[in-house]
């Protein structure tokens, strides 16, 4: 790895919590320290960053009296949250705990159920050992982290709350400016969409009921203004609920940007070819935009992203993220 990225909002956090914040391809990772039994790592980033995640975790643990990991806990199993599981569990000899809904799929490595097949994203295979049951506690040092179900972005996602410090680990259920794509809503089925959006709302209501003083989201820096974030999230949710097609377009663009961050840069035509073959991209097109030719729709999305300054096209027709 080239350099150690800076630790996000370190000053806001209690000294027994380390936030490893990176770009969008990797989720935030969080170390919950315990000087006696070793640390818990919440989420482990994207697979292509696994060596960097390992180095960051080793670096953050090195000054500690007990520089070991005892557990990796995943808020959900999207590829950007559990791509480091395999390498880190092997290096530290630690167990992996995941939410209940996908335990069997992960155990059998059913890549279709785990979304990696449909999104075309990569995740090195790992073996889950424990279930993070909503209603249970992760006891770490003096702290008792409450595990809560927070479906919406992902039907199986959990969030963590620690009442003493008021720290909420909100995963992709709430960011400072919005929330993650509502995956159940992109299939183009009205019922699935409404259920997905209703779950987002219920998870936001759950979060609003918690006396949280500091939020550590799945992506981006930690923040204090929970009320402001909830207000923005509700506004976005209302908009998407009224315009599921806008949500689908937003989802397609988010998935394109994820892919582009992953490949770095690629000739425009091969990037478009790859996208057209990706099941989730096809499904979005079929559900919402099939009045257009799939290639034309894809080109339109790329043009829009380029107008917004999210990606650029070199004179040699190479696409890359800005
Ligand atoms: Zn996610």
């Amino acid at each position: 790895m080239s350099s150690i990225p800076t630790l996000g909002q370190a000053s806001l956090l209690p000294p027994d919590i380390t936030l490893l914040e990176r770009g969008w391809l990797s989720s935030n990772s969080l170390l919950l320290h315990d000087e006696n039994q070793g640390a818990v790592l919440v989420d482990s980033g994207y697979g292509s960053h696994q060596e960097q995640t390992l180095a960051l975790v080793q670096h953050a643990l090195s000054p500690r009296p007990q520089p070991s990991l005892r557990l990796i806990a995943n808020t959900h199993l999207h590829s950007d949250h559990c791509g480091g599981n395999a390498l880190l569990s092997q290096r530290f000899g630690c167990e992996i705990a995941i939410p209940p809904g996908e335990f069997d799929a992960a155990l059998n490595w059913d890549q279709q159920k785990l979304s990696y097949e449909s999104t075309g994203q990569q995740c090195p295979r790992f073996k889950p050992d424990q279930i993070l049951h909503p209603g249970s506690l992760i006891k770490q040092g003096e702290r008792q982290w409450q595990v809560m179900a927070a479906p919406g972005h992902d039907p199986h996602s959990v969030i963590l709350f620690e009442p003493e410090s008021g720290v909420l680990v909100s995963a992709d259920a709430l960011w400072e400016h919005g929330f993650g794509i509502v995956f159940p809503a992109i299939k183009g089925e009205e019922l699935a969409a409404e259920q997905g959006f209703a779950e987002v709302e219920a998870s936001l209501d759950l979060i609003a009921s918690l006396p949280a003083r500091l939020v550590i989201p799945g992506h981006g820096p930690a923040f204090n203004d929970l009320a402001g974030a909830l207000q923005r999230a509700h506004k976005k949710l209302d908009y998407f609920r009224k315009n599921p097609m806008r949500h689908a377009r937003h989802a397609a663009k988010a998935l394109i940007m994820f892919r582009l961050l992953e490949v770095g840069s690629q000739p425009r035509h091969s990037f478009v070819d790859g996208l057209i073959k990706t099941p989730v991209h096809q499904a979005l097109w079929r559900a919402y935009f099939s009045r257009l030719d799939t290639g034309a729709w894809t080109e339109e999305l790329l043009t829009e992203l380029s107008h917004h300054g999210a990606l650029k096209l070199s004179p040699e027709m190479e696409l890359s993220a800005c």
Side-chain angles (χ1 to χ4, degrees):
M1 64 180 265
S2 49
S3 66
I4 302 274
T6 50
L7 306 183
Q9 302 285 303
S11 57
L12 286 176
L13 296 166
D16 58 330
I17 299 177
T18 306
L19 170 59
L20 308 172
E21 189 201 341
R22 287 172 283 179
W24 281 88
L25 189 57
S26 272
S27 70
N28 287 340
S29 294
L30 207 59
L31 279 164
L32 312 176
H33 299 283
D34 180 332
E35 307 307 11
N36 297 316
Q37 52 175 354
V40 171
L41 178 72
V42 181
D43 290 336
S44 63
Y46 193 63
S48 59
H49 286 171
Q50 58 182 347
E51 294 287 349
Q52 185 193 56
T53 309
L54 177 64
L56 283 168
V57 167
Q58 281 168 335
H59 177 76
L61 290 177
S62 56
R64 300 267 163 182
Q66 179 64 275
S68 66
L69 263 196
R70 72 172 184 90
L71 183 72
I72 297 169
N74 295 118
T75 57
H76 60 299
L77 296 189
H78 286 163
S79 62
D80 53 332
H81 289 253
C82 59
N85 281 15
L87 181 67
L88 273 84
S89 64
Q90 186 213 334
R91 291 297 169 89
F92 287 97
C94 65
E95 297 207 328
I96 298 171
I98 65 170
E102 289 181 316
F103 192 86
D104 289 342
L107 202 57
N108 302 319
W109 209 247
D110 181 338
Q111 296 209 56
Q112 199 178 358
K113 281 196 184 131
L114 292 171
S115 83
Y116 312 137
E117 202 164 282
S118 66
T119 56
Q121 296 168 7
Q122 313 294 323
C123 184
R125 181 173 185 170
F126 63 87
K127 187 180 86 56
D129 303 286
Q130 303 177 22
I131 293 180
L132 282 178
H133 285 290
S136 67
L137 296 172
I138 300 175
K139 293 180 187 155
Q140 192 61 348
E142 301 291 295
R143 305 196 188 283
Q144 305 217 339
W145 293 88
Q146 302 172 353
V147 179
M148 299 175 192
H153 161 68
D154 177 81
H156 311 292
S157 186
V158 297
I159 55 174
L160 306 175
F161 180 61
E162 201 281 306
E164 187 99 349
S165 57
V167 174
L168 170 69
V169 178
S170 64
D172 295 345
L174 177 70
W175 296 337
E176 190 171 10
H177 300 278
F179 45 81
I181 300 166
V182 186
F183 274 87
I186 66 181
K187 297 173 191 152
E189 300 156 15
E190 224 172 284
L191 268 177
E194 187 37 46
Q195 192 190 337
F197 292 133
E199 285 179 344
V200 170
E201 185 172 32
S203 292
L204 293 177
D205 288 347
L206 167 70
I207 289 172
S209 75
L210 301 171
R213 298 192 291 280
L214 177 68
V215 183
I216 305 176
H219 297 267
F223 60 90
N224 298 118
D225 181 16
L226 175 60
L230 283 167
Q231 205 175 26
R232 288 186 288 275
H234 276 293
K235 204 170 154 195
K236 197 162 264 187
L237 175 62
D238 288 346
Y239 175 73
F240 285 153
R241 250 181 161 154
K242 286 181 196 130
N243 306 278
M245 197 189 267
R246 291 296 171 101
H247 173 263
R249 207 173 174 81
H250 160 75
K253 289 197 279 188
L255 288 159
I256 287 175
M257 289 312 297
F258 191 93
R259 165 76 61 97
L260 203 50
L261 285 169
E262 187 187 2
V263 299
S265 78
Q266 207 170 52
R268 183 177 177 130
H269 68 90
S270 23
F271 188 76
V272 170
D273 282 354
L275 273 179
I276 290 173
K277 290 183 192 125
T278 305
V280 71
H281 186 79
Q282 287 170 358
L284 278 162
W285 167 75
R286 200 175 304 114
Y288 292 99
F289 306 100
S290 58
R291 67 187 187 288
L292 282 174
D293 170 74
T294 173
W297 175 62
T298 306
E299 294 285 353
E300 192 183 283
L301 292 171
L302 291 176
T303 303
E304 217 170 288
L305 283 164
S306 138
H307 285 160
H308 288 124
L311 54 80
K312 58 179 188 284
L313 188 62
S314 75
E316 295 76 37
M317 300 301 275
E318 283 268 331
L319 270 180
S320 57
C322 290

